[in-house]
Amino acid sequence: MAEAERIIGTPEVGDDTQPEPEAALPKGRRRIVALLVVAILAYLLDLGSKMLVVAKLEHQAPIEVIGDLLKFEAVRNPGAAFGFGEAFTIIFTCIAAGVIVVIVRLARKLYSLPWAIALGLLLGGALGNLTDRIFRSPGVFQGAVVDFIAPAHFAVFNLADSAIVCGGILIVLLSFKGLDPDGTVHKD
């Protein structure tokens, strides 16, 4: 019991010491705040970049950023990664909504800052692409995602996709290190 209390930051009974100023929020709440800050930042960067691309780059020639290696090119993608599954836009919308629900449910048990960052990236990216699928043409739950980062010999993607991939890589690394979202470490 004492170990669980140490992990979640619950004071022992009869402990009259005052919490330190930085411990004003319980450890779990601070992790949720971190998750939300990362998610909001990822979402707003994605949303802002897509608004800029639609306003300034759509129906224009691609902009060469690094010669032929990297261009900014407005592309509407109704499918998943690499344009696969264009006929299944509604399924990708449901998957994104499901990911968001899972992250929100998992956040209640979150006591690890690295996991908060990883899940925040996933949440922000999923919200960014879900916003496109709900509000962009051709219609609700059928919208095409705005992609614009076009590296040579690779698929065109956006900042939401980047956030999702970075969050996924971080989750894999945390799993290999044995760190769980609740802060426990497995030494297998």
mmCIF file of all heavy atoms in Angstrom, residues 38-51 53 77 79-81 96 99-100 103 117-133 136 144-149 156-169:
data_model
loop_
_atom_site.group_PDB
_atom_site.id
_atom_site.type_symbol
_atom_site.label_atom_id
_atom_site.label_comp_id
_atom_site.label_asym_id
_atom_site.label_seq_id
_atom_site.Cartn_x
_atom_site.Cartn_y
_atom_site.Cartn_z
ATOM 1 N N VAL A 38 -0.024 19.229 -24.662
ATOM 2 C CA VAL A 38 0.603 18.679 -25.874
ATOM 3 C C VAL A 38 -0.451 18.466 -26.958
ATOM 4 O O VAL A 38 -0.240 18.804 -28.122
ATOM 5 C CB VAL A 38 1.353 17.365 -25.564
ATOM 6 C CG1 VAL A 38 1.800 16.659 -26.834
ATOM 7 C CG2 VAL A 38 2.556 17.640 -24.665
ATOM 8 N N ALA A 39 -1.610 17.914 -26.588
ATOM 9 C CA ALA A 39 -2.674 17.662 -27.567
ATOM 10 C C ALA A 39 -3.177 18.960 -28.187
ATOM 11 O O ALA A 39 -3.344 19.045 -29.412
ATOM 12 C CB ALA A 39 -3.830 16.907 -26.905
ATOM 13 N N ILE A 40 -3.409 19.962 -27.374
ATOM 14 C CA ILE A 40 -3.908 21.248 -27.885
ATOM 15 C C ILE A 40 -2.878 21.899 -28.788
ATOM 16 O O ILE A 40 -3.210 22.426 -29.857
ATOM 17 C CB ILE A 40 -4.321 22.174 -26.723
ATOM 18 C CG1 ILE A 40 -5.583 21.633 -26.049
ATOM 19 C CG2 ILE A 40 -4.522 23.606 -27.194
ATOM 20 C CD1 ILE A 40 -5.930 22.287 -24.729
ATOM 21 N N LEU A 41 -1.613 21.845 -28.392
ATOM 22 C CA LEU A 41 -0.546 22.414 -29.213
ATOM 23 C C LEU A 41 -0.461 21.707 -30.566
ATOM 24 O O LEU A 41 -0.400 22.365 -31.609
ATOM 25 C CB LEU A 41 0.787 22.300 -28.466
ATOM 26 C CG LEU A 41 1.775 23.404 -28.694
ATOM 27 C CD1 LEU A 41 1.300 24.674 -28.027
ATOM 28 C CD2 LEU A 41 3.128 22.988 -28.153
ATOM 29 N N ALA A 42 -0.460 20.373 -30.542
ATOM 30 C CA ALA A 42 -0.399 19.602 -31.799
ATOM 31 C C ALA A 42 -1.611 19.905 -32.672
ATOM 32 O O ALA A 42 -1.487 20.098 -33.886
ATOM 33 C CB ALA A 42 -0.310 18.107 -31.498
ATOM 34 N N TYR A 43 -2.787 19.962 -32.052
ATOM 35 C CA TYR A 43 -4.018 20.230 -32.795
ATOM 36 C C TYR A 43 -4.006 21.622 -33.428
ATOM 37 O O TYR A 43 -4.327 21.786 -34.607
ATOM 38 C CB TYR A 43 -5.230 20.079 -31.874
ATOM 39 C CG TYR A 43 -6.537 20.397 -32.544
ATOM 40 C CD1 TYR A 43 -7.074 19.537 -33.495
ATOM 41 C CD2 TYR A 43 -7.232 21.560 -32.241
ATOM 42 C CE1 TYR A 43 -8.276 19.824 -34.127
ATOM 43 C CE2 TYR A 43 -8.433 21.855 -32.860
ATOM 44 C CZ TYR A 43 -8.950 20.992 -33.806
ATOM 45 O OH TYR A 43 -10.135 21.289 -34.435
ATOM 46 N N LEU A 44 -3.632 22.628 -32.638
ATOM 47 C CA LEU A 44 -3.639 24.000 -33.155
ATOM 48 C C LEU A 44 -2.586 24.205 -34.252
ATOM 49 O O LEU A 44 -2.853 24.907 -35.238
ATOM 50 C CB LEU A 44 -3.434 24.998 -32.021
ATOM 51 C CG LEU A 44 -4.604 25.117 -31.041
ATOM 52 C CD1 LEU A 44 -4.252 26.077 -29.909
ATOM 53 C CD2 LEU A 44 -5.888 25.537 -31.741
ATOM 54 N N LEU A 45 -1.412 23.603 -34.102
ATOM 55 C CA LEU A 45 -0.399 23.693 -35.158
ATOM 56 C C LEU A 45 -0.899 23.043 -36.445
ATOM 57 O O LEU A 45 -0.725 23.578 -37.543
ATOM 58 C CB LEU A 45 0.908 23.043 -34.712
ATOM 59 C CG LEU A 45 1.741 23.833 -33.710
ATOM 60 C CD1 LEU A 45 2.888 22.982 -33.180
ATOM 61 C CD2 LEU A 45 2.263 25.108 -34.346
ATOM 62 N N ASP A 46 -1.542 21.880 -36.305
ATOM 63 C CA ASP A 46 -2.088 21.191 -37.475
ATOM 64 C C ASP A 46 -3.202 22.008 -38.114
ATOM 65 O O ASP A 46 -3.201 22.241 -39.330
ATOM 66 C CB ASP A 46 -2.606 19.810 -37.083
ATOM 67 C CG ASP A 46 -3.222 19.082 -38.258
ATOM 68 O OD1 ASP A 46 -2.483 18.780 -39.220
ATOM 69 O OD2 ASP A 46 -4.442 18.825 -38.234
ATOM 70 N N LEU A 47 -4.134 22.468 -37.305
ATOM 71 C CA LEU A 47 -5.263 23.239 -37.823
ATOM 72 C C LEU A 47 -4.794 24.529 -38.505
ATOM 73 O O LEU A 47 -5.229 24.850 -39.613
ATOM 74 C CB LEU A 47 -6.241 23.561 -36.689
ATOM 75 C CG LEU A 47 -7.538 24.251 -37.078
ATOM 76 C CD1 LEU A 47 -8.373 23.360 -37.987
ATOM 77 C CD2 LEU A 47 -8.328 24.614 -35.829
ATOM 78 N N GLY A 48 -3.885 25.242 -37.861
ATOM 79 C CA GLY A 48 -3.361 26.476 -38.445
ATOM 80 C C GLY A 48 -2.625 26.238 -39.748
ATOM 81 O O GLY A 48 -2.792 26.993 -40.719
ATOM 82 N N SER A 49 -1.820 25.186 -39.787
ATOM 83 C CA SER A 49 -1.076 24.899 -41.024
ATOM 84 C C SER A 49 -2.026 24.523 -42.153
ATOM 85 O O SER A 49 -1.836 24.948 -43.298
ATOM 86 C CB SER A 49 -0.050 23.791 -40.791
ATOM 87 O OG SER A 49 -0.669 22.557 -40.499
ATOM 88 N N LYS A 50 -3.065 23.768 -41.846
ATOM 89 C CA LYS A 50 -4.030 23.376 -42.884
ATOM 90 C C LYS A 50 -4.823 24.585 -43.377
ATOM 91 O O LYS A 50 -5.100 24.693 -44.580
ATOM 92 C CB LYS A 50 -4.971 22.301 -42.353
ATOM 93 C CG LYS A 50 -4.298 20.950 -42.191
ATOM 94 C CD LYS A 50 -5.240 19.959 -41.546
ATOM 95 C CE LYS A 50 -4.596 18.606 -41.371
ATOM 96 N NZ LYS A 50 -5.468 17.674 -40.634
ATOM 97 N N MET A 51 -5.181 25.485 -42.475
ATOM 98 C CA MET A 51 -5.896 26.694 -42.897
ATOM 99 C C MET A 51 -5.014 27.534 -43.819
ATOM 100 O O MET A 51 -5.493 28.053 -44.838
ATOM 101 C CB MET A 51 -6.327 27.509 -41.676
ATOM 102 C CG MET A 51 -7.423 26.837 -40.865
ATOM 103 S SD MET A 51 -7.771 27.622 -39.278
ATOM 104 C CE MET A 51 -8.303 29.233 -39.795
ATOM 105 N N VAL A 53 -2.517 26.400 -45.697
ATOM 106 C CA VAL A 53 -2.357 25.662 -46.958
ATOM 107 C C VAL A 53 -3.585 25.836 -47.846
ATOM 108 O O VAL A 53 -3.465 26.094 -49.037
ATOM 109 C CB VAL A 53 -2.073 24.168 -46.682
ATOM 110 C CG1 VAL A 53 -2.262 23.323 -47.928
ATOM 111 C CG2 VAL A 53 -0.662 23.995 -46.125
ATOM 112 N N ASN A 77 -6.730 14.139 -49.245
ATOM 113 C CA ASN A 77 -6.613 12.689 -49.117
ATOM 114 C C ASN A 77 -7.839 12.120 -48.405
ATOM 115 O O ASN A 77 -7.965 12.249 -47.193
ATOM 116 C CB ASN A 77 -5.340 12.342 -48.335
ATOM 117 C CG ASN A 77 -5.137 10.856 -48.164
ATOM 118 O OD1 ASN A 77 -5.876 10.041 -48.696
ATOM 119 N ND2 ASN A 77 -4.123 10.500 -47.402
ATOM 120 N N GLY A 79 -8.419 8.955 -48.120
ATOM 121 C CA GLY A 79 -8.059 7.643 -47.584
ATOM 122 C C GLY A 79 -7.182 7.738 -46.352
ATOM 123 O O GLY A 79 -7.143 8.738 -45.652
ATOM 124 N N ALA A 80 -6.463 6.648 -46.139
ATOM 125 C CA ALA A 80 -5.530 6.587 -45.009
ATOM 126 C C ALA A 80 -4.138 6.929 -45.507
ATOM 127 O O ALA A 80 -3.989 7.571 -46.549
ATOM 128 C CB ALA A 80 -5.570 5.182 -44.405
ATOM 129 N N ALA A 81 -3.134 6.478 -44.787
ATOM 130 C CA ALA A 81 -1.747 6.732 -45.171
ATOM 131 C C ALA A 81 -1.489 6.224 -46.591
ATOM 132 O O ALA A 81 -2.002 5.182 -46.989
ATOM 133 C CB ALA A 81 -0.800 6.046 -44.195
ATOM 134 N N ALA A 96 -10.523 7.040 -35.748
ATOM 135 C CA ALA A 96 -9.987 8.235 -35.082
ATOM 136 C C ALA A 96 -10.811 8.564 -33.837
ATOM 137 O O ALA A 96 -10.249 8.879 -32.778
ATOM 138 C CB ALA A 96 -9.962 9.419 -36.045
ATOM 139 N N VAL A 99 -9.898 6.078 -31.125
ATOM 140 C CA VAL A 99 -8.589 6.388 -30.530
ATOM 141 C C VAL A 99 -8.740 7.502 -29.499
ATOM 142 O O VAL A 99 -8.173 7.436 -28.401
ATOM 143 C CB VAL A 99 -7.567 6.773 -31.632
ATOM 144 C CG1 VAL A 99 -6.333 7.426 -31.036
ATOM 145 C CG2 VAL A 99 -7.193 5.555 -32.465
ATOM 146 N N ILE A 100 -9.509 8.508 -29.828
ATOM 147 C CA ILE A 100 -9.725 9.629 -28.911
ATOM 148 C C ILE A 100 -10.398 9.143 -27.630
ATOM 149 O O ILE A 100 -9.983 9.509 -26.521
ATOM 150 C CB ILE A 100 -10.539 10.737 -29.604
ATOM 151 C CG1 ILE A 100 -9.691 11.377 -30.706
ATOM 152 C CG2 ILE A 100 -11.032 11.776 -28.598
ATOM 153 C CD1 ILE A 100 -10.461 12.237 -31.684
ATOM 154 N N ILE A 103 -7.865 7.180 -25.473
ATOM 155 C CA ILE A 103 -6.894 8.065 -24.822
ATOM 156 C C ILE A 103 -7.536 8.793 -23.644
ATOM 157 O O ILE A 103 -6.933 8.906 -22.567
ATOM 158 C CB ILE A 103 -6.295 9.057 -25.836
ATOM 159 C CG1 ILE A 103 -5.404 8.303 -26.829
ATOM 160 C CG2 ILE A 103 -5.505 10.153 -25.126
ATOM 161 C CD1 ILE A 103 -4.939 9.139 -27.999
ATOM 162 N N ILE A 117 3.015 12.776 -22.830
ATOM 163 C CA ILE A 117 3.458 13.426 -24.065
ATOM 164 C C ILE A 117 3.075 12.585 -25.273
ATOM 165 O O ILE A 117 2.530 13.099 -26.254
ATOM 166 C CB ILE A 117 4.979 13.687 -24.014
ATOM 167 C CG1 ILE A 117 5.285 14.745 -22.949
ATOM 168 C CG2 ILE A 117 5.510 14.120 -25.388
ATOM 169 C CD1 ILE A 117 6.750 14.873 -22.605
ATOM 170 N N ALA A 118 3.337 11.281 -25.211
ATOM 171 C CA ALA A 118 3.020 10.385 -26.332
ATOM 172 C C ALA A 118 1.522 10.382 -26.627
ATOM 173 O O ALA A 118 1.095 10.515 -27.781
ATOM 174 C CB ALA A 118 3.504 8.974 -26.027
ATOM 175 N N LEU A 119 0.711 10.250 -25.583
ATOM 176 C CA LEU A 119 -0.740 10.227 -25.780
ATOM 177 C C LEU A 119 -1.265 11.593 -26.210
ATOM 178 O O LEU A 119 -2.224 11.681 -26.973
ATOM 179 C CB LEU A 119 -1.438 9.746 -24.512
ATOM 180 C CG LEU A 119 -1.181 8.284 -24.146
ATOM 181 C CD1 LEU A 119 -1.800 7.945 -22.800
ATOM 182 C CD2 LEU A 119 -1.687 7.341 -25.233
ATOM 183 N N GLY A 120 -0.642 12.660 -25.742
ATOM 184 C CA GLY A 120 -1.015 14.001 -26.189
ATOM 185 C C GLY A 120 -0.765 14.177 -27.680
ATOM 186 O O GLY A 120 -1.586 14.763 -28.390
ATOM 187 N N LEU A 121 0.365 13.676 -28.158
ATOM 188 C CA LEU A 121 0.649 13.733 -29.604
ATOM 189 C C LEU A 121 -0.385 12.940 -30.398
ATOM 190 O O LEU A 121 -0.888 13.409 -31.416
ATOM 191 C CB LEU A 121 2.066 13.208 -29.888
ATOM 192 C CG LEU A 121 3.209 14.109 -29.457
ATOM 193 C CD1 LEU A 121 4.537 13.363 -29.529
ATOM 194 C CD2 LEU A 121 3.258 15.364 -30.327
ATOM 195 N N LEU A 122 -0.692 11.722 -29.919
ATOM 196 C CA LEU A 122 -1.714 10.911 -30.601
ATOM 197 C C LEU A 122 -3.071 11.605 -30.595
ATOM 198 O O LEU A 122 -3.764 11.646 -31.614
ATOM 199 C CB LEU A 122 -1.851 9.541 -29.934
ATOM 200 C CG LEU A 122 -0.784 8.514 -30.201
ATOM 201 C CD1 LEU A 122 -1.059 7.244 -29.403
ATOM 202 C CD2 LEU A 122 -0.700 8.189 -31.674
ATOM 203 N N LEU A 123 -3.444 12.149 -29.442
ATOM 204 C CA LEU A 123 -4.742 12.816 -29.325
ATOM 205 C C LEU A 123 -4.813 14.043 -30.229
ATOM 206 O O LEU A 123 -5.795 14.222 -30.965
ATOM 207 C CB LEU A 123 -4.995 13.210 -27.864
ATOM 208 C CG LEU A 123 -6.315 13.904 -27.556
ATOM 209 C CD1 LEU A 123 -7.500 13.018 -27.930
ATOM 210 C CD2 LEU A 123 -6.381 14.279 -26.069
ATOM 211 N N GLY A 124 -3.805 14.880 -30.212
ATOM 212 C CA GLY A 124 -3.799 16.072 -31.069
ATOM 213 C C GLY A 124 -3.843 15.719 -32.544
ATOM 214 O O GLY A 124 -4.586 16.331 -33.318
ATOM 215 N N GLY A 125 -3.067 14.710 -32.942
ATOM 216 C CA GLY A 125 -3.069 14.285 -34.340
ATOM 217 C C GLY A 125 -4.397 13.686 -34.766
ATOM 218 O O GLY A 125 -4.924 13.988 -35.843
ATOM 219 N N ALA A 126 -4.948 12.837 -33.899
ATOM 220 C CA ALA A 126 -6.245 12.226 -34.220
ATOM 221 C C ALA A 126 -7.337 13.284 -34.326
ATOM 222 O O ALA A 126 -8.174 13.243 -35.239
ATOM 223 C CB ALA A 126 -6.613 11.181 -33.168
ATOM 224 N N LEU A 127 -7.321 14.259 -33.415
ATOM 225 C CA LEU A 127 -8.307 15.344 -33.480
ATOM 226 C C LEU A 127 -8.142 16.181 -34.745
ATOM 227 O O LEU A 127 -9.123 16.596 -35.363
ATOM 228 C CB LEU A 127 -8.191 16.248 -32.251
ATOM 229 C CG LEU A 127 -8.766 15.708 -30.954
ATOM 230 C CD1 LEU A 127 -8.354 16.586 -29.777
ATOM 231 C CD2 LEU A 127 -10.278 15.593 -31.042
ATOM 232 N N GLY A 128 -6.887 16.420 -35.140
ATOM 233 C CA GLY A 128 -6.633 17.197 -36.352
ATOM 234 C C GLY A 128 -7.203 16.539 -37.593
ATOM 235 O O GLY A 128 -7.893 17.179 -38.397
ATOM 236 N N ASN A 129 -6.920 15.251 -37.761
ATOM 237 C CA ASN A 129 -7.443 14.558 -38.938
ATOM 238 C C ASN A 129 -8.946 14.310 -38.839
ATOM 239 O O ASN A 129 -9.656 14.346 -39.849
ATOM 240 C CB ASN A 129 -6.679 13.253 -39.170
ATOM 241 C CG ASN A 129 -5.308 13.494 -39.772
ATOM 242 O OD1 ASN A 129 -5.042 14.539 -40.359
ATOM 243 N ND2 ASN A 129 -4.426 12.531 -39.625
ATOM 244 N N LEU A 130 -9.450 14.086 -37.614
ATOM 245 C CA LEU A 130 -10.893 13.904 -37.439
ATOM 246 C C LEU A 130 -11.646 15.190 -37.790
ATOM 247 O O LEU A 130 -12.719 15.138 -38.397
ATOM 248 C CB LEU A 130 -11.202 13.475 -36.002
ATOM 249 C CG LEU A 130 -12.666 13.173 -35.692
ATOM 250 C CD1 LEU A 130 -13.174 12.007 -36.545
ATOM 251 C CD2 LEU A 130 -12.839 12.857 -34.217
ATOM 252 N N THR A 131 -11.084 16.331 -37.446
ATOM 253 C CA THR A 131 -11.701 17.614 -37.804
ATOM 254 C C THR A 131 -11.864 17.713 -39.316
ATOM 255 O O THR A 131 -12.925 18.127 -39.813
ATOM 256 C CB THR A 131 -10.854 18.791 -37.274
ATOM 257 O OG1 THR A 131 -10.787 18.698 -35.849
ATOM 258 C CG2 THR A 131 -11.441 20.129 -37.664
ATOM 259 N N ASP A 132 -10.825 17.330 -40.055
ATOM 260 C CA ASP A 132 -10.926 17.340 -41.517
ATOM 261 C C ASP A 132 -12.011 16.391 -42.004
ATOM 262 O O ASP A 132 -12.810 16.723 -42.874
ATOM 263 C CB ASP A 132 -9.594 16.932 -42.157
ATOM 264 C CG ASP A 132 -8.585 18.057 -42.181
ATOM 265 O OD1 ASP A 132 -8.911 19.158 -41.717
ATOM 266 O OD2 ASP A 132 -7.459 17.828 -42.668
ATOM 267 N N ARG A 133 -12.046 15.196 -41.447
ATOM 268 C CA ARG A 133 -13.013 14.184 -41.904
ATOM 269 C C ARG A 133 -14.448 14.610 -41.611
ATOM 270 O O ARG A 133 -15.361 14.261 -42.343
ATOM 271 C CB ARG A 133 -12.711 12.840 -41.271
ATOM 272 C CG ARG A 133 -11.344 12.319 -41.669
ATOM 273 C CD ARG A 133 -11.321 10.835 -41.823
ATOM 274 N NE ARG A 133 -9.984 10.359 -42.116
ATOM 275 C CZ ARG A 133 -9.488 10.221 -43.340
ATOM 276 N NH1 ARG A 133 -10.213 10.553 -44.386
ATOM 277 N NH2 ARG A 133 -8.276 9.757 -43.527
ATOM 278 N N ARG A 136 -14.637 18.930 -43.646
ATOM 279 C CA ARG A 136 -14.208 19.267 -45.011
ATOM 280 C C ARG A 136 -15.071 18.539 -46.030
ATOM 281 O O ARG A 136 -15.721 17.548 -45.730
ATOM 282 C CB ARG A 136 -12.735 18.915 -45.206
ATOM 283 C CG ARG A 136 -11.831 19.750 -44.312
ATOM 284 C CD ARG A 136 -10.490 19.985 -44.920
ATOM 285 N NE ARG A 136 -9.597 20.642 -43.981
ATOM 286 C CZ ARG A 136 -9.450 21.949 -43.877
ATOM 287 N NH1 ARG A 136 -10.128 22.748 -44.668
ATOM 288 N NH2 ARG A 136 -8.625 22.463 -42.990
ATOM 289 N N ALA A 144 -12.119 14.895 -46.852
ATOM 290 C CA ALA A 144 -10.754 14.537 -47.212
ATOM 291 C C ALA A 144 -9.783 15.341 -46.352
ATOM 292 O O ALA A 144 -9.957 16.540 -46.143
ATOM 293 C CB ALA A 144 -10.507 14.818 -48.691
ATOM 294 N N VAL A 145 -8.763 14.673 -45.853
ATOM 295 C CA VAL A 145 -7.747 15.305 -45.022
ATOM 296 C C VAL A 145 -6.829 16.153 -45.900
ATOM 297 O O VAL A 145 -6.467 15.751 -47.008
ATOM 298 C CB VAL A 145 -6.934 14.226 -44.274
ATOM 299 C CG1 VAL A 145 -5.760 14.830 -43.528
ATOM 300 C CG2 VAL A 145 -7.836 13.452 -43.324
ATOM 301 N N VAL A 146 -6.448 17.329 -45.423
ATOM 302 C CA VAL A 146 -5.523 18.205 -46.144
ATOM 303 C C VAL A 146 -4.095 17.772 -45.817
ATOM 304 O O VAL A 146 -3.672 17.834 -44.662
ATOM 305 C CB VAL A 146 -5.729 19.684 -45.759
ATOM 306 C CG1 VAL A 146 -4.676 20.567 -46.406
ATOM 307 C CG2 VAL A 146 -7.128 20.137 -46.135
ATOM 308 N N ASP A 147 -3.373 17.307 -46.825
ATOM 309 C CA ASP A 147 -1.963 16.952 -46.692
ATOM 310 C C ASP A 147 -1.148 17.940 -47.497
ATOM 311 O O ASP A 147 -1.614 18.462 -48.515
ATOM 312 C CB ASP A 147 -1.710 15.537 -47.219
ATOM 313 C CG ASP A 147 -2.299 14.448 -46.320
ATOM 314 O OD1 ASP A 147 -2.444 14.692 -45.118
ATOM 315 O OD2 ASP A 147 -2.598 13.365 -46.840
ATOM 316 N N PHE A 148 0.084 18.220 -47.064
ATOM 317 C CA PHE A 148 0.865 19.216 -47.796
ATOM 318 C C PHE A 148 2.379 19.038 -47.721
ATOM 319 O O PHE A 148 3.101 19.644 -48.492
ATOM 320 C CB PHE A 148 0.508 20.632 -47.328
ATOM 321 C CG PHE A 148 0.824 20.889 -45.882
ATOM 322 C CD1 PHE A 148 2.029 21.470 -45.515
ATOM 323 C CD2 PHE A 148 -0.085 20.567 -44.902
ATOM 324 C CE1 PHE A 148 2.324 21.707 -44.194
ATOM 325 C CE2 PHE A 148 0.193 20.810 -43.572
ATOM 326 C CZ PHE A 148 1.402 21.378 -43.208
ATOM 327 N N ILE A 149 2.882 18.235 -46.821
ATOM 328 C CA ILE A 149 4.333 18.024 -46.722
ATOM 329 C C ILE A 149 4.687 16.881 -47.663
ATOM 330 O O ILE A 149 4.254 15.750 -47.450
ATOM 331 C CB ILE A 149 4.754 17.722 -45.273
ATOM 332 C CG1 ILE A 149 4.297 18.847 -44.346
ATOM 333 C CG2 ILE A 149 6.270 17.514 -45.189
ATOM 334 C CD1 ILE A 149 4.421 18.534 -42.871
ATOM 335 N N VAL A 156 2.573 12.152 -49.284
ATOM 336 C CA VAL A 156 2.311 13.504 -48.789
ATOM 337 C C VAL A 156 1.575 13.358 -47.453
ATOM 338 O O VAL A 156 0.673 12.544 -47.316
ATOM 339 C CB VAL A 156 1.464 14.299 -49.806
ATOM 340 C CG1 VAL A 156 1.218 15.706 -49.322
ATOM 341 C CG2 VAL A 156 2.137 14.303 -51.170
ATOM 342 N N PHE A 157 1.972 14.167 -46.458
ATOM 343 C CA PHE A 157 1.360 14.067 -45.131
ATOM 344 C C PHE A 157 1.197 15.455 -44.527
ATOM 345 O O PHE A 157 1.478 16.455 -45.180
ATOM 346 C CB PHE A 157 2.194 13.153 -44.218
ATOM 347 C CG PHE A 157 3.619 13.591 -44.014
ATOM 348 C CD1 PHE A 157 3.977 14.343 -42.907
ATOM 349 C CD2 PHE A 157 4.608 13.244 -44.924
ATOM 350 C CE1 PHE A 157 5.288 14.748 -42.712
ATOM 351 C CE2 PHE A 157 5.925 13.635 -44.741
ATOM 352 C CZ PHE A 157 6.272 14.390 -43.631
ATOM 353 N N ASN A 158 0.703 15.511 -43.279
ATOM 354 C CA ASN A 158 0.474 16.792 -42.599
ATOM 355 C C ASN A 158 1.031 16.728 -41.178
ATOM 356 O O ASN A 158 1.602 15.715 -40.773
ATOM 357 C CB ASN A 158 -1.015 17.144 -42.617
ATOM 358 C CG ASN A 158 -1.865 16.079 -41.962
ATOM 359 O OD1 ASN A 158 -1.538 15.547 -40.915
ATOM 360 N ND2 ASN A 158 -2.992 15.759 -42.585
ATOM 361 N N LEU A 159 0.863 17.795 -40.422
ATOM 362 C CA LEU A 159 1.401 17.829 -39.064
ATOM 363 C C LEU A 159 0.665 16.872 -38.123
ATOM 364 O O LEU A 159 1.269 16.345 -37.183
ATOM 365 C CB LEU A 159 1.364 19.251 -38.513
ATOM 366 C CG LEU A 159 2.273 20.256 -39.229
ATOM 367 C CD1 LEU A 159 2.169 21.633 -38.580
ATOM 368 C CD2 LEU A 159 3.714 19.783 -39.246
ATOM 369 N N ALA A 160 -0.611 16.619 -38.359
ATOM 370 C CA ALA A 160 -1.347 15.649 -37.545
ATOM 371 C C ALA A 160 -0.756 14.257 -37.736
ATOM 372 O O ALA A 160 -0.563 13.516 -36.764
ATOM 373 C CB ALA A 160 -2.838 15.652 -37.908
ATOM 374 N N ASP A 161 -0.459 13.906 -38.981
ATOM 375 C CA ASP A 161 0.171 12.612 -39.254
ATOM 376 C C ASP A 161 1.517 12.514 -38.545
ATOM 377 O O ASP A 161 1.864 11.472 -37.981
ATOM 378 C CB ASP A 161 0.376 12.414 -40.761
ATOM 379 C CG ASP A 161 -0.929 12.412 -41.537
ATOM 380 O OD1 ASP A 161 -1.979 12.068 -40.956
ATOM 381 O OD2 ASP A 161 -0.895 12.754 -42.729
ATOM 382 N N SER A 162 2.286 13.606 -38.573
ATOM 383 C CA SER A 162 3.588 13.626 -37.902
ATOM 384 C C SER A 162 3.429 13.430 -36.402
ATOM 385 O O SER A 162 4.205 12.692 -35.780
ATOM 386 C CB SER A 162 4.304 14.948 -38.164
ATOM 387 O OG SER A 162 4.568 15.103 -39.520
ATOM 388 N N ALA A 163 2.442 14.084 -35.802
ATOM 389 C CA ALA A 163 2.199 13.939 -34.368
ATOM 390 C C ALA A 163 1.822 12.502 -34.030
ATOM 391 O O ALA A 163 2.303 11.938 -33.031
ATOM 392 C CB ALA A 163 1.103 14.904 -33.911
ATOM 393 N N ILE A 164 0.985 11.887 -34.856
ATOM 394 C CA ILE A 164 0.567 10.505 -34.624
ATOM 395 C C ILE A 164 1.759 9.564 -34.705
ATOM 396 O O ILE A 164 1.946 8.689 -33.853
ATOM 397 C CB ILE A 164 -0.542 10.099 -35.623
ATOM 398 C CG1 ILE A 164 -1.835 10.857 -35.299
ATOM 399 C CG2 ILE A 164 -0.771 8.592 -35.607
ATOM 400 C CD1 ILE A 164 -2.905 10.769 -36.377
ATOM 401 N N VAL A 165 2.589 9.740 -35.722
ATOM 402 C CA VAL A 165 3.763 8.874 -35.889
ATOM 403 C C VAL A 165 4.743 9.071 -34.733
ATOM 404 O O VAL A 165 5.242 8.096 -34.159
ATOM 405 C CB VAL A 165 4.446 9.128 -37.258
ATOM 406 C CG1 VAL A 165 5.803 8.461 -37.329
ATOM 407 C CG2 VAL A 165 3.553 8.627 -38.391
ATOM 408 N N CYS A 166 5.019 10.316 -34.363
ATOM 409 C CA CYS A 166 5.941 10.577 -33.248
ATOM 410 C C CYS A 166 5.394 10.006 -31.942
ATOM 411 O O CYS A 166 6.137 9.403 -31.158
ATOM 412 C CB CYS A 166 6.202 12.075 -33.110
ATOM 413 S SG CYS A 166 7.191 12.748 -34.451
ATOM 414 N N GLY A 167 4.097 10.169 -31.698
ATOM 415 C CA GLY A 167 3.476 9.589 -30.506
ATOM 416 C C GLY A 167 3.555 8.077 -30.514
ATOM 417 O O GLY A 167 3.847 7.451 -29.487
ATOM 418 N N GLY A 168 3.316 7.471 -31.675
ATOM 419 C CA GLY A 168 3.399 6.015 -31.794
ATOM 420 C C GLY A 168 4.805 5.493 -31.554
ATOM 421 O O GLY A 168 5.002 4.491 -30.854
ATOM 422 N N ILE A 169 5.800 6.169 -32.105
ATOM 423 C CA ILE A 169 7.197 5.773 -31.889
ATOM 424 C C ILE A 169 7.554 5.889 -30.413
ATOM 425 O O ILE A 169 8.198 4.994 -29.842
ATOM 426 C CB ILE A 169 8.145 6.621 -32.765
ATOM 427 C CG1 ILE A 169 7.976 6.236 -34.234
ATOM 428 C CG2 ILE A 169 9.600 6.457 -32.324
ATOM 429 C CD1 ILE A 169 8.678 7.161 -35.214
#
